[in-house]
Amino acid sequence: MSIRKSDFLKGIAGLTVAFLLSGCADYMSRRDSVTAGAGNAVDANVGIHTIQPFPVAAEHTYLPGNGKAVANAEKRYLTPGDPDVVTGGSSGSAEVQ
């Protein structure tokens, strides 16, 4: 019984693929995680066990401001020809259109 050429080429291709994939086994066995799908669990645990991950000022979320004053300032800034808004000049600021 003779081996057909196409069967021989399929066998060679299969062996080539198996040989190339065997190089991945060594890489995967040297990973720094429990499993390949572990993700960044090590980094997450380091963050969890950090005693104070954020500065104390990050807890202060109250930002004082006056909404009406900001809205009026924006409206004045966007109004062309307002004498209170400084435009142009040598400082490189753009002129309001």
Side-chain angles (χ1 to χ4, degrees):
M1 206 165 140
S2 66
I3 299 175
R4 291 185 293 192
K5 187 177 180 180
S6 63
D7 290 337
F8 180 72
L9 291 177
K10 286 180 186 177
I12 294 293
L15 287 174
T16 303
V17 169
F19 177 72
L20 291 175
L21 288 178
S22 68
C24 297
D26 188 43
Y27 171 75
M28 293 303 287
S29 67
R30 298 181 188 274
R31 287 182 52 90
D32 259 353
S33 62
V34 178
T35 65
N40 60 348
V42 174
D43 294 334
N45 286 334
V46 168
I48 289 169
H49 293 287
T50 301
I51 294 174
Q52 190 174 6
F54 295 105
V56 176
E59 295 178 9
H60 302 299
T61 57
Y62 175 72
L63 302 174
N66 186 342
K68 283 186 177 182
V70 171
N72 288 337
E74 182 181 5
K75 188 184 295 184
R76 279 192 340 204
Y77 180 76
L78 295 175
T79 302
D82 188 355
D84 292 337
V85 178
V86 178
T87 58
S90 62
S91 65
S93 61
E95 186 174 334
V96 177
Q97 296 290 330

